[in-house]
Amino acid sequence: MCGFTAVFSTNQESLNKYPLETITAVITHRGPDDCGYYKSPGVQLGFRRLSIIDLPHGHQPMTYDNGRYTIVFNGEIYNAPELRDRMKKRGATFQTSSDTEVILASFKHEGKKSFTNFRGMFAFLIWDSRTETLTGARDPFGIKPLYMKKDGDAVLFASEKKSLTLFEKKPGINKDVLPAYLTFQYAPEPLTSTSNITKVPPGHIIELKRETGKLTLKPYSQPEFNPTIQEKASAVGKIRRAVEESVEFHLRSDVPVSTFLSGGIDSTAITALVKQMKPDVKAFTAEFADARYSEADTARKTAEVLGLDHHVVTITPEQVVKELPKIIWHMDEPVADPAAIPLYFVAKEAAEHSKVVLSGEGADELFAGYNIYKEPGSLRLFDFLPSGMKKQIHSLALKIPHGVKGRGFLQRGTTPLRERFTGNARIFDPAEVEEYLFETKGASAFDFTAPLYDHAKRKGWDPVTTMQYVDMHTWLRGDILAKADKMTMAHSLELRVPFLDKEVFQVASSLPVSGKVSRKQTKIWLREALADVVPAHVVERKKLGFPVPVRLWLKDELYDWARLILTQSPASDTIFDKGASVRLLEEHVQGKHDHSRKIWTILTYMLWHKQATQSRRTITDASDLKDII
């Protein structure tokens, strides 16, 4: 929807240190339709608007209650009409039909506890001029970002990190996050790859008081699984009703809405339901020139069956090399998921036709859609073996040469879940990290997942539910939603995710393992719930993720480009071991191993590192931005 910035401080000199107009201008792509500023002792707020709801009256920063409250808000509150009626019964008055004013009225009449009533995606800051208190919150799933930076007695906030690094000639590189980055392929929240910048965690409230300068950060809503034994037909019906209602809510807009369509069940289900409610909907698909790495044929068949206005974007390696620096600049962080590439290009095309797009993110985490979730079932026989025997088998497995069939099965089956699963992506094994980094003093991926496993153990969750919980707190936030927000907002396009809805989660979180995954299938009851709206050729289709031909590109079109970066990047021989990195590439080209994801993880970081550390003069006004964009 939008983007905002804010500076809070107990003294005016710190407030004036950061020209508000400039740090807000750098995120114009998030809101090209309008801008606004609010300045008072204690706080300054900047805003860029992408107009979606109440186009004439949704200007921000928005004030309320005779100027007492002022808000900057990024996101959408889909149940705003219902909440508006509720607030009117409490005596609230409204001057607009925007959801922004609903947040303000809710905060005035019900305080911070009102945040749990919001059904949507959001990050916002509210300034109370009477108490001189700044209060902010981020939605429970982390759909919308909120960065924070402390600078002396000032605290800065922004929807994108680039606003907070704008005035630093050489932002600090957070090397402590590198070991975890190599495993996850992203910096795990709340950390970032910049040493003095963090993220406000999802489902948390942040509060700053001008009188004391004290900052508090507390959770207000944390998604929890609660698997129960259920009757199948009833559960399937609840799933269908919840998803349908969520799609209906997510279609609330005063501008055209489209969808992203891949070959998978999630985006297909969303598109099919939207088609029933908005027959003229447009759907957008990305494909690569290599047919082996394209889901477009399946999407085309779906579009034909559903009668969609379908648009397909074809991507070449040359386009990728040209646009990759811009992609990484928009990402703010090194997120080495190649799926960000097609998302960037398809968002660019969709933005030519609409301002809002619906997509299927979140279904895999909520309904157990990843193939790795089948693993506990396939390894169940190891549960009956004595611990001593497991240790012997594990030692034997390690002696079997790599590549020999059965080695991995024996190794996984004799390794505890918390030591083998760090989330949906595991690029470098934590034990490998030392070989590629000069310094490994930071926390490993296991250090970040350990508290999640401890929590799951206290709850008594089964392995599949535990894996979902780990993914929701790592992979979903750090990868899926990060690239979804940044790649769409790069083109001033708002992405909405109907599966990540509080009512949908309430149903999904209660499902037993039998309703989620078996040794042969994932998202079992979700598939049944949507079987009559999703075309048959998609319902039982195996999950592929979004295949990107990085493996082939690094052997051919992108080899010279990749080798040049690995050998000449400023991060070579300062952060990464150049010899080890180049060896990965050469072994990959020779066909000894598929190292494509490892190589891409290093390349992505090196490209980001160059941007983050490039020499820049001090930015003094918005006209200087052309030097860094």
Side-chain angles (χ1 to χ4, degrees):
M1 172 186 172
C2 306
F4 64 78
T5 60
V7 184
F8 169 93
S9 183
T10 55
N11 74 72
Q12 195 63 34
E13 186 175 339
S14 294
L15 282 178
N16 297 336
K17 181 179 177 181
Y18 293 91
L20 188 65
E21 290 79 1
T22 307
I23 64 174
T24 308
V26 78
I27 54 171
T28 297
H29 52 275
R30 294 190 73 94
D33 296 334
D34 189 19
C35 65
Y37 309 98
Y38 171 87
K39 299 180 181 180
S40 76
V43 73
Q44 296 185 1
L45 307 174
F47 190 74
R48 295 294 319 190
R49 185 185 183 204
L50 181 66
S51 303
I52 305 293
I53 300 290
D54 193 2
L55 308 188
H57 306 116
H59 178 80
Q60 293 188 44
M62 180 180 287
T63 60
Y64 189 77
D65 194 23
N66 296 317
R68 175 177 177 177
Y69 302 104
T70 303
I71 188 174
V72 281
F73 159 51
N74 171 31
E76 301 286 351
I77 306 299
Y78 303 116
N79 63 336
E82 291 79 8
L83 292 175
R84 182 180 289 107
D85 292 340
R86 171 175 169 163
M87 289 302 105
K88 285 181 178 178
K89 294 177 181 178
R90 299 288 300 269
T93 57
F94 294 90
Q95 303 300 317
T96 75
S97 60
S98 73
D99 52 351
T100 308
E101 193 174 17
V102 171
I103 296 175
L104 287 167
S106 298
F107 184 62
K108 174 189 174 180
H109 289 279
E110 297 183 348
K112 290 176 283 189
K113 66 180 182 181
S114 67
F115 301 166
T116 60
N117 299 324
F118 299 155
R119 188 173 180 179
M121 55 182 184
F122 54 86
F124 59 78
L125 296 169
I126 300 173
W127 174 248
D128 182 340
S129 60
R130 183 178 300 174
T131 64
E132 295 191 312
T133 302
L134 185 68
T135 303
R138 190 177 174 203
D139 67 75
F141 295 108
I143 304 170
K144 285 299 175 184
L146 182 53
Y147 292 88
M148 178 176 68
K149 170 184 173 181
K150 295 180 181 180
D151 183 18
D153 54 14
V155 183
L156 291 81
F157 297 91
S159 297
E160 296 193 6
K161 193 174 72 172
K162 55 183 64 65
S163 291
L164 306 184
T165 60
L166 196 59
F167 296 89
E168 299 181 0
K169 291 185 177 181
K170 192 174 182 180
I173 300 300
N174 185 4
K175 293 184 179 181
D176 289 348
V177 83
L178 276 162
Y181 166 79
L182 286 185
T183 297
F184 289 132
Q185 74 180 3
Y186 54 84
E189 293 195 6
L191 302 181
T192 73
S193 294
T194 304
S195 56
N196 57 346
I197 297 176
T198 59
K199 290 182 180 179
V200 173
H204 278 65
I205 292 173
I206 190 163
E207 189 174 81
L208 285 154
K209 294 183 178 295
R210 188 181 181 215
E211 181 180 3
T212 62
K214 182 181 179 181
L215 183 153
T216 58
L217 185 66
K218 295 180 179 179
Y220 73 91
S221 179
Q222 297 293 293
E224 290 275 358
F225 287 93
N226 183 32
T228 59
I229 298 174
Q230 298 186 47
E231 193 270 322
K232 175 182 172 181
S234 175
V236 168
K238 290 178 182 178
I239 294 170
R240 176 60 176 269
R241 288 190 295 273
V243 174
E244 278 187 335
E245 183 186 75
S246 180
V247 170
E248 183 180 356
F249 273 49
H250 280 69
L251 284 174
R252 291 177 171 179
S253 170
D254 293 336
V255 297
V257 178
S258 58
T259 71
F260 284 156
L261 178 64
S262 69
I265 186 174
D266 306 331
S267 65
T268 304
I270 298 300
T271 300
L273 290 171
V274 171
K275 174 66 176 177
Q276 292 180 355
M277 302 173 193
K278 285 186 175 290
D280 61 344
V281 66
K282 291 180 172 66
F284 296 86
T285 302
E287 72 171 352
F288 294 98
D290 191 318
R292 292 171 294 177
Y293 287 84
S294 177
E295 291 189 311
D297 287 344
T298 302
R300 286 189 181 96
K301 187 175 180 180
T302 298
E304 182 179 349
V305 172
L306 297 179
L308 296 169
D309 182 353
H310 189 215
H311 301 251
V312 179
V313 179
T314 303
I315 306 165
T316 67
E318 293 75 21
Q319 288 176 303
V320 172
V321 171
K322 179 181 178 182
E323 293 294 309
L324 195 55
K326 190 179 295 184
I327 290 172
I328 290 173
W329 184 83
H330 277 290
M331 278 300 305
D332 266 337
E333 284 282 295
V335 178
D337 187 345
I341 296 169
L343 184 54
Y344 175 86
F345 285 100
V346 76
K348 183 177 182 180
E349 176 64 21
E352 296 294 322
H353 302 265
S354 62
K355 282 189 173 183
V356 178
V357 63
L358 270 60
S359 190
E361 281 86 351
D364 291 318
E365 289 78 13
L366 268 62
F367 293 95
Y370 295 120
N371 289 319
I372 190 64
Y373 295 158
K374 299 176 185 176
E375 187 180 73
S378 67
L379 299 177
R380 191 165 294 147
L381 62 92
F382 289 94
D383 295 340
F384 302 99
L385 298 180
S387 59
M389 184 177 294
K390 284 185 184 180
K391 290 180 181 179
Q392 292 178 348
I393 295 174
H394 188 79
S395 297
L396 175 64
L398 295 178
K399 296 177 181 178
I400 299 174
H402 284 277
V404 175
K405 188 175 181 179
R407 181 186 191 274
F409 177 74
L410 294 176
Q411 189 173 353
R412 292 193 305 275
T414 55
T415 302
L417 179 63
R418 68 188 297 151
E419 295 177 18
R420 71 173 189 266
F421 183 74
T422 55
N424 193 52
R426 183 165 176 165
I427 308 303
F428 287 86
D429 189 281
E432 295 179 288
V433 168
E434 188 173 351
E435 181 180 352
Y436 297 93
L437 294 176
F438 282 112
E439 298 180 25
T440 56
K441 63 178 181 178
S444 74
F446 289 137
D447 294 318
F448 286 96
T449 58
L452 303 175
Y453 279 106
D454 292 342
H455 182 80
K457 184 177 181 180
R458 289 193 296 270
K459 292 289 184 177
W461 290 336
D462 60 87
V464 173
T465 302
T466 298
M467 295 167 80
Q468 289 177 267
Y469 185 74
V470 170
D471 271 333
M472 279 190 62
H473 287 76
T474 54
W475 171 254
L476 180 64
R477 300 172 177 183
D479 185 296
I480 298 296
L481 294 176
K483 70 177 188 283
D485 175 80
K486 299 296 177 56
M487 294 298 91
T488 52
M489 292 307 292
H491 305 290
S492 307
L493 180 70
E494 176 180 282
L495 183 139
R496 298 180 176 182
V497 283
F499 282 113
L500 290 177
D501 171 78
K502 61 186 296 186
E503 301 301 327
V504 174
F505 180 73
Q506 184 174 351
V507 175
S509 63
S510 69
L511 298 181
V513 174
S514 60
K516 295 186 287 191
V517 64
S518 68
R519 293 181 67 176
K520 294 184 178 180
Q521 189 56 282
T522 60
K523 291 183 287 198
I524 299 172
W525 287 358
L526 177 66
R527 293 176 191 274
E528 294 193 30
L530 301 171
D532 65 328
V533 294
V534 175
H537 67 278
V538 175
V539 172
E540 298 300 326
R541 188 168 182 261
K542 182 179 179 181
K543 182 173 182 62
L544 299 176
F546 199 107
V548 181
V550 171
R551 179 177 65 85
L552 300 181
W553 289 347
L554 290 173
K555 290 183 177 182
D556 193 359
E557 296 98 331
L558 301 189
Y559 168 76
D560 291 336
W561 169 83
R563 201 177 198 287
L564 185 67
I565 294 172
L566 292 177
T567 56
Q568 297 189 13
S569 166
S572 293
D573 282 338
T574 57
I575 293 177
F576 293 97
D577 184 299
K578 182 189 300 184
S581 301
V582 172
R583 186 167 61 251
L584 279 176
L585 179 62
E586 296 306 325
E587 288 181 357
H588 178 77
V589 171
Q590 294 164 14
K592 294 181 179 180
H593 299 284
D594 179 2
H595 290 316
S596 56
R597 295 299 296 275
K598 292 182 177 180
I599 298 166
W600 198 256
T601 299
I602 295 175
L603 287 172
T604 299
Y605 189 90
M606 288 181 169
L607 290 170
W608 172 84
H609 180 270
K610 181 179 179 180
Q611 292 184 0
T613 59
Q614 64 184 350
S615 177
R616 60 175 75 169
R617 59 191 175 87
T618 302
I619 305 298
T620 58
D621 58 58
S623 64
D624 293 332
L625 298 178
K626 64 182 183 296
D627 295 335
I628 61 170
I629 298 176

